[in-house]
Amino acid sequence: MRFFQKIKYKLTHLSTKGKIKLGVVVILLLWFWLCLPSKLFTTPTSFVITDKNGILLNASIAADGQWRFPYNKKVPERFVKCITTFEDKRFFYHPGIDPIALGRAIIQNIKNKKVVSGGSTLTMQVIRLSKEHSTRSLWNKLTESIVAVRLECSYSKKSILALYASNAPFGSNVVGLDAAAWRYYGRSPEQLSWGEMAALAVLPNAPALVHPGRNRDELLRKRNELLDKLQEEKEIDKTTCELAKVEPLPDQPKPLPQLAPHLLDKYKKEYGAIQKASSDEVSTGLQTTIDMHLQQEVNNILGIHHAQLMGNQVRNAAAIVVEVETGNVLSYVGNIYNPADTSLESHVDVLSSSRSPGSTLKPLLYASLLTEGTMLPRQLVPDIPTQMGGFTPQNFDLGYDGAVPANRALARSLNIPAVRMLQQFKYQRFYDVLKQCGYTTLNRPANNYGMSLILGGCEISPFEQAGVYSSLARMYNHQRKNNSKWNDQDWFMPRYIKDNIEAAQTHKASYPLFDYPALWHTFNAMNEVMRPGEEGLWGLFGSAQRIAWKTGTSFGFRDGWAIGITPKYCVVVWVGNTTGEGRPDLTGINTAAPILFEIFRVLPSSSWFEPPAKGFIYLPICHESGFKAGPDCVKADTMLVGESGRNAPLCPYHHKIQLDATGNYRVTADCVSPSAMQQQTWFILPPTIEYYYKQKHTDYKPLPPYMAGCNTDAARPFDIIYPEENAKIYVPIEISGERGKTVFTATHRSSSAKLFWHLDDAYITTTIQFHKVALNPTPGKHVLTVEDENGEMVTRTFEVMEK
């Protein structure tokens, strides 16, 4: 207390001269403290991305044309020993200036009558480097010395070395140790030998030394002198020194790795948003989640297949591999990369671009219907000629099965059953499901997409496809952890920034999208998709990898897709032309699927998904129709389904019929005594479905005909297949210039039946057995009437449109 009182007394009784001196001291101290900028280096740095282990994947030159990698706080021990031995051997002991070195420099300069030594410490050099284009003068040397001391007050020796290593010039346009190691030796600094590190350590002192064919002897001399000093100070032994001296000097700068150029571009584009969202400065250097070895493998696989695809003028391909559990992107190949060939448009990152998804959304519709409980996994879905307004979907093979189990329709990627399922689920609801899944590229209202939504009538990026399908697998894997409840935390887009959980944005759905039994059946249906080439025999081998996968082909053969998921990995492959040009045979199964399975072959295999743990019931299922078994179903199977399956409709196709004693004819009580009848259960499909179904199923038994004289009010025995009611028909103009003809089709249960055709009440023709008629109606509305021998009549109203 007395001490402070004495100081106060002396301050209050200071003379004017004393107060001036004190003020000067305070100002100098304040200047000393504030002379160090809050940020020493403001020069732009290169964008650099590394893999999950820190291995360089890609880098781009800085905005000022320098190869200057971002600040790296880790400095290899070899560089520390080399640079301190060569530049500042008392670095770890002085306070920023080295009086001994300064004295020696002054004496040398006086003796030589010119500047031959500056006496600068590494700390002083850091200060000089931070001041761009500063001239060497006595005044600058003085200020550098003072600021160097100030730097030592706030920074550790390791931090000062890191600042030096990150900003020292290494010749040409190479700045910093990291950039120099990669440009001159093609390796990271940690992998450099003593000879290589010594060569780099002498460069900042005279960076102009490194030029092919120029000053090579001088560089060699300086490097070897440094190696001798290291040996003298026992940092290396004699053998190491001699071996290091025979190592070659750096020559022409080497090209940097170009393993993930599109991921680098993606980070550059997102950097501004990342920086804005962060309270701290974000480095232009990024450690990603990429596995460098897998990235190389995927690049090689795409390169091999690209050589084959180019034969069909298919120029572009892309692939992404996501680890299901973490959502980490393990491989990101946005396109075939060959900037020299401008026709490839290598700069386009297809993984982040919106493309038509083809049939790749069908599994989501299938899972939605199963979750809702209005459809069961093997339930028959009509596969017949279909027209909805002006929309006429076609299967890829242009054929019809009549009816097909829903899981087989998904496995075979049949378009008509998919459209029928969407008609049942409603495209507005499916649009909402897709939005809830996290697709951000559905920018138009649902009505703009309509029924084409399920066939690729929208645009979705491969990156988001990988996010949704990996989330499906992750959600299913976590069913026991989540007690079979929906958990938004398991649903997110892939992340490529290592150790940054926030980079994977969780997408919160407003309601549970899928239940676990639905996902289980969806994965199993996708596993049954026929694989291409030799992969088609995978089921013969017990050790074969089970993969839930789906292909997609956009309209006009512009995009080929393949998506595959296992409990561990999700792989998405896209093949096509970034210009949107379609090519013959550019289909998912022909182009993308072979790449998909080759990528899975280099990934560790995993077991199949476990059956659902909770939230399911066992339901009796009609063996033939796949519907919930009704009282008339002859054979029923037991199937695991979601609890909502209780609401599934009963089988509509099994009915009891009355037959005569021979079992060959149907009868009624009007013509046969009940005692002479026998009752049987029969699988009866509607006429149009039956027409195509029996062509694919030879075991299908049509209904027996009625016995002569038996009157019946049963459902009509025939139907018009094409056109549908209120259809709009567009008739093409033939090469001859004449309007083409439209083929109208009908079907009858009796193969020998006669059908009488009328158009607008005018008789046209009669058909027997094969009921097809080619007509050329005039533009406008018409009524087609077809009548059989028993007077049964079916009509269709349709309109022929003007072109």
Side-chain angles (χ1 to χ4, degrees):
M1 193 68 172
R2 289 181 179 178
F3 174 75
F4 289 108
Q5 288 176 344
K6 287 181 179 180
I7 291 176
K8 183 178 179 182
Y9 176 81
K10 289 182 177 181
L11 288 174
T12 54
H13 291 78
L14 271 176
S15 64
T16 303
K17 190 175 181 180
K19 290 180 179 179
I20 293 173
K21 289 181 179 179
L22 179 61
V24 171
V25 171
V26 171
I27 291 172
L28 289 174
L29 286 174
L30 187 62
W31 176 85
F32 174 77
W33 190 254
L34 298 177
C35 67
L36 185 68
S38 59
K39 184 179 180 182
L40 275 174
F41 294 93
T42 58
T43 48
T45 55
S46 301
F47 279 90
V48 177
I49 59 172
T50 63
D51 85 334
K52 62 182 182 180
N53 297 315
I55 302 172
L56 183 66
L57 295 174
N58 251 95
S60 64
I61 200 164
D64 60 354
Q66 303 293 308
W67 285 105
R68 186 188 296 105
F69 282 21
Y71 170 76
N72 186 354
K73 66 180 180 180
K74 296 179 181 179
V75 182
E77 190 61 29
R78 285 183 180 177
F79 183 75
V80 173
K81 294 184 182 301
C82 286
I83 198 65
T84 53
T85 300
F86 184 74
E87 290 280 3
D88 190 356
K89 62 183 179 181
R90 283 177 291 276
F91 172 74
F92 289 102
Y93 307 104
H94 62 62
I97 56 175
D98 187 350
I100 298 175
L102 281 173
R104 185 186 69 247
I106 292 171
I107 294 171
Q108 289 177 341
N109 295 338
I110 292 173
K111 283 183 178 180
N112 290 276
K113 298 181 180 181
K114 62 178 181 179
V115 177
V116 295
S117 176
S120 293
T121 63
L122 288 174
T123 312
M124 292 169 66
Q125 291 184 50
V126 168
I127 299 302
R128 186 174 69 250
L129 290 170
S130 69
K131 299 177 180 179
E132 295 184 71
H133 312 299
S134 63
T135 57
R136 296 197 177 191
S137 65
L138 188 60
W139 172 253
N140 285 340
K141 179 73 72 174
L142 178 62
T143 56
E144 285 171 10
S145 300
I146 296 172
V147 180
V149 174
R150 173 65 183 87
L151 182 65
E152 293 272 355
C153 295
S154 297
Y155 286 71
S156 67
K157 291 289 186 180
K158 285 185 177 180
S159 297
I160 294 170
L161 274 174
L163 285 170
Y164 178 84
S166 296
N167 294 279
F170 284 85
S172 185
N173 64 340
V174 179
V175 178
L177 176 63
D178 287 344
W182 280 104
R183 288 291 282 163
Y184 293 133
Y185 292 108
R187 298 194 301 281
S188 67
E190 291 78 12
Q191 296 175 306
L192 298 184
S193 65
W194 280 107
E196 293 166 337
M197 193 66 85
L200 292 185
V202 303
L203 288 180
N205 183 262
L209 285 174
V210 177
H211 286 284
R214 177 179 163 190
N215 297 330
R216 311 291 291 166
D217 293 338
E218 181 66 12
L219 174 60
L220 180 65
R221 182 186 67 77
K222 284 178 172 287
R223 185 200 68 175
N224 290 347
E225 285 181 356
L226 174 56
L227 290 170
D228 289 335
K229 286 183 181 179
L230 289 169
Q231 182 188 347
E232 289 173 10
E233 296 182 9
K234 308 296 184 186
E235 297 293 351
I236 59 175
D237 57 34
K238 183 177 181 180
T239 303
T240 302
C241 180
E242 294 301 322
L243 290 174
K245 287 181 178 180
V246 299
E247 292 183 22
L249 294 173
D251 205 331
Q252 288 274 9
K254 300 180 182 295
L256 296 181
Q258 297 284 341
L259 295 177
H262 300 96
L263 187 60
L264 176 68
D265 289 341
K266 183 178 178 67
Y267 179 58
K268 289 169 71 173
K269 290 175 183 176
E270 296 176 358
Y271 177 79
I274 296 173
Q275 176 69 74
K276 189 175 181 180
S278 175
S279 57
D280 300 320
E281 184 177 359
V282 178
S283 171
T284 57
L286 175 70
Q287 186 171 16
T288 70
T289 59
I290 299 294
D291 182 314
M292 187 271 289
H293 299 293
L294 179 61
Q295 182 76 4
Q296 286 181 319
E297 290 270 17
V298 175
N299 271 318
N300 292 338
I301 291 170
L302 285 176
I304 292 170
H305 284 268
H306 179 250
Q308 301 169 354
L309 293 167
M310 281 294 287
N312 188 29
Q313 297 181 35
V314 178
R315 300 179 181 85
N316 306 101
I320 183 172
V321 180
V322 177
E323 186 179 50
V324 167
E325 180 61 27
T326 61
N328 289 346
V329 178
L330 301 182
S331 177
Y332 189 104
V333 182
N335 201 345
I336 299 297
Y337 191 69
N338 182 8
D341 187 348
T342 56
S343 67
L344 297 182
E345 295 193 341
S346 294
H347 63 280
V348 178
D349 180 6
V350 180
L351 293 180
S352 295
S353 303
S354 297
R355 307 291 304 192
S356 167
S359 298
T360 57
L361 300 179
K362 290 176 181 176
L364 303 179
L365 174 61
Y366 180 75
S368 297
L369 283 163
L370 298 187
T371 300
E372 184 182 50
T374 54
M375 176 174 282
L376 297 176
R378 291 194 291 107
Q379 183 174 312
L380 286 180
V381 182
D383 182 19
I384 56 177
T386 300
Q387 187 173 32
M388 300 175 182
F391 181 53
T392 307
Q394 296 284 344
N395 292 327
F396 185 78
D397 61 2
L398 303 180
Y400 309 97
D401 277 27
V404 62
N407 62 333
R408 293 300 303 153
L410 175 59
R412 293 171 55 194
S413 197
L414 297 176
N415 291 336
I416 293 174
V419 171
R420 292 270 183 167
M421 286 191 276
L422 183 58
Q423 185 183 35
Q424 175 182 332
F425 190 73
K426 306 303 180 188
Y427 67 80
Q428 296 90 343
R429 292 178 59 207
F430 186 57
Y431 172 86
D432 187 54
V433 168
L434 296 180
K435 297 284 278 188
Q436 295 289 332
C437 281
Y439 292 113
T440 62
T441 52
L442 300 174
N443 300 320
R444 292 176 284 153
N447 289 338
N448 284 84
Y449 299 105
M451 301 300 292
S452 69
L453 190 62
I454 195 60
L455 303 183
C458 58
E459 291 187 335
I460 284 170
S461 71
F463 187 81
E464 290 191 347
Q465 286 282 46
V468 170
Y469 276 92
S470 61
S471 293
L472 286 176
R474 185 184 312 109
M475 184 70 70
Y476 190 83
N477 289 343
H478 290 178
Q479 59 174 313
R480 285 180 170 80
K481 184 179 77 174
N482 296 333
N483 197 26
S484 295
K485 294 180 180 178
W486 180 271
N487 185 357
D488 283 332
Q489 299 302 313
D490 291 331
W491 197 277
F492 51 83
M493 288 294 130
R495 63 189 183 102
Y496 64 92
I497 301 177
K498 187 178 180 183
D499 300 328
N500 186 359
I501 302 299
E502 294 178 0
Q505 296 181 354
T506 301
H507 182 79
K508 294 185 178 180
S510 59
Y511 55 86
L513 297 176
F514 311 106
D515 64 27
Y516 294 105
L519 293 180
W520 164 253
H521 286 293
T522 302
F523 295 155
N524 283 317
M526 294 171 68
N527 181 58
E528 296 302 320
V529 177
M530 184 64 184
R531 300 186 183 185
E534 61 185 26
E535 283 286 338
L537 302 175
W538 74 275
L540 300 177
F541 304 94
S543 60
Q545 172 83 42
R546 296 184 69 182
I547 301 169
W549 72 291
K550 183 75 187 71
T551 59
T553 304
S554 67
F555 178 77
F557 301 102
R558 293 180 175 89
D559 306 87
W561 292 75
I563 300 173
I565 48 176
T566 67
K568 288 186 177 180
Y569 302 103
C570 173
V571 179
V572 176
V573 177
W574 176 92
V575 173
N577 288 311
T578 54
T579 59
E581 176 189 358
R583 297 299 304 164
D585 294 326
L586 201 173
T587 63
I589 191 71
N590 290 336
T591 60
I595 298 174
L596 176 90
F597 287 105
E598 198 161 340
I599 292 174
F600 267 111
R601 279 199 290 270
V602 302
L603 291 171
S605 60
S606 63
S607 57
W608 188 238
F609 296 98
E610 295 290 334
K614 284 184 179 180
F616 62 87
I617 59 173
Y618 287 100
L619 199 68
I621 305 297
C622 178
H623 181 75
E624 287 184 280
S625 71
F627 281 80
K628 184 163 68 173
D632 295 331
C633 290
V634 178
K635 183 179 179 182
D637 305 317
T638 300
M639 178 178 286
L640 182 154
V641 298
E643 293 178 350
S644 59
R646 290 189 179 95
N647 304 320
L650 294 174
C651 173
Y653 299 134
H654 278 96
H655 302 279
K656 287 186 170 60
I657 62 171
Q658 312 300 326
L659 301 176
D660 68 350
T662 66
N664 296 323
Y665 296 97
R666 280 184 290 167
V667 295
T668 66
D670 295 333
C671 57
V672 174
S673 169
S675 60
M677 297 178 186
Q678 56 173 311
Q679 189 178 71
Q680 288 189 21
T681 297
W682 211 271
F683 182 55
I684 307 171
L685 294 173
T688 304
I689 295 177
E690 180 187 79
Y691 173 77
Y692 292 102
Y693 188 85
K694 64 186 180 183
Q695 296 176 30
K696 302 284 186 177
H697 301 80
T698 56
D699 58 341
Y700 178 78
K701 295 181 179 179
L703 272 172
Y706 276 99
M707 181 180 285
C710 286
N711 295 323
T712 178
D713 294 325
R716 63 174 181 249
F718 77 102
D719 200 0
I720 295 176
I721 297 176
Y722 184 82
E724 292 193 349
E725 183 66 15
N726 296 321
K728 296 182 185 297
I729 300 175
Y730 295 86
V731 182
I733 303 300
E734 304 290 349
I735 297 177
S736 62
E738 297 180 355
R739 184 183 295 274
K741 292 188 175 182
T742 303
V743 177
F744 298 92
T745 309
T747 181
H748 200 290
R749 292 192 187 279
S750 173
S751 60
S752 60
K754 287 184 180 182
L755 293 182
F756 306 96
W757 297 73
H758 302 77
L759 183 63
D760 299 329
D761 294 329
Y763 171 75
I764 301 297
T765 188
T766 300
T767 56
I768 303 174
Q769 192 172 7
F770 298 105
H771 306 294
K772 293 185 178 182
V773 176
L775 301 174
N776 188 7
T778 59
K781 292 187 176 182
H782 300 275
V783 177
L784 177 69
T785 304
V786 181
E787 187 176 0
D788 71 357
E789 297 168 290
N790 299 320
E792 293 283 348
M793 187 180 299
V794 180
T795 63
R796 288 283 190 274
T797 300
F798 65 94
E799 183 178 0
V800 176
M801 306 300 292
E802 288 275 12
K803 277 291 185 182

